[in-house]
Amino acid sequence: QVQLVESGGGLVQAGGSLILSCAASGRTFSSYNMGWFRQAPGKERVFVAAISWSGGISYTDSVKGRFTISRDNAKNTVYLQMNSLKPEDTALYYCAGKEVGWNAAWNPQYYNYWVDWGQGTQVTVTS
């Protein structure tokens, strides 16, 4: 497994922006699919965005056009740029990873697809 550490969360007013970072340990980051999930109090952990080792990207409908996922393999880091934030975006945001080979399955919207998880970083959006 790889160790994942999120950072960049905080308190922001509606309409503002934040960028989250997820730093990964290990030497095989380039072979990992990476993603972001979020969980609000009393709710299920739900998919936000993912980026494959080969550059494929997926977003949940509610963040399309507002959030951007990217990765820098040289820095072993994945990012989530969040713009036009809404109170509904308030949640604990988790970084997720899965080591894969070529021609691997791509089902990032499912919780059980992922193998490695960070501890989360809190994002709070006020009205």
Side-chain angles (χ1 to χ4, degrees), residues 49-71:
I51 183 167
S52 75
W53 69 272
S54 59
I57 291 175
S58 183
Y59 298 102
T60 193
D61 286 344
S62 63
V63 308
K64 288 180 179 177
R66 299 190 297 123
F67 291 10
T68 302
I69 189 170
S70 62
R71 67 191 295 161

Side-chain angles (χ1 to χ4, degrees), residues 19-20 22 33-37 47-52 55-59 63 66-72 77-82 94-96 106 108 114:
I19 183 165
L20 306 183
C22 174
N33 292 340
M34 301 296 297
W36 291 94
F37 280 65
F47 173 74
V48 177
I51 183 167
S52 75
I57 291 175
S58 183
Y59 298 102
V63 308
R66 299 190 297 123
F67 291 10
T68 302
I69 189 170
S70 62
R71 67 191 295 161
D72 186 339
T77 302
V78 63
Y79 305 95
L80 186 68
Q81 176 68 54
M82 304 186 295
Y94 294 91
C95 180
W106 179 241
W114 301 97

Side-chain angles (χ1 to χ4, degrees), residues 6-109:
E6 303 96 333
S7 62
L11 182 67
V12 64
Q13 289 186 323
S17 298
L18 285 172
I19 183 165
L20 306 183
S21 299
C22 174
S25 65
R27 300 178 181 178
T28 59
F29 180 76
S30 62
S31 65
Y32 276 74
N33 292 340
M34 301 296 297
W36 291 94
F37 280 65
R38 65 188 182 187
Q39 186 170 24
K43 296 185 177 180
E44 298 281 313
R45 189 175 301 187
V46 297
F47 173 74
V48 177
I51 183 167
S52 75
W53 69 272
S54 59
I57 291 175
S58 183
Y59 298 102
T60 193
D61 286 344
S62 63
V63 308
K64 288 180 179 177
R66 299 190 297 123
F67 291 10
T68 302
I69 189 170
S70 62
R71 67 191 295 161
D72 186 339
N73 289 347
K75 297 181 179 179
N76 279 18
T77 302
V78 63
Y79 305 95
L80 186 68
Q81 176 68 54
M82 304 186 295
N83 299 324
S84 301
L85 283 162
K86 305 174 181 179
E88 305 92 272
D89 296 317
T90 295
L92 190 64
Y93 282 70
Y94 294 91
C95 180
K98 178 182 174 67
E99 187 174 18
V100 298
W102 51 85
N103 302 124
W106 179 241
N107 300 290
Q109 70 271 33

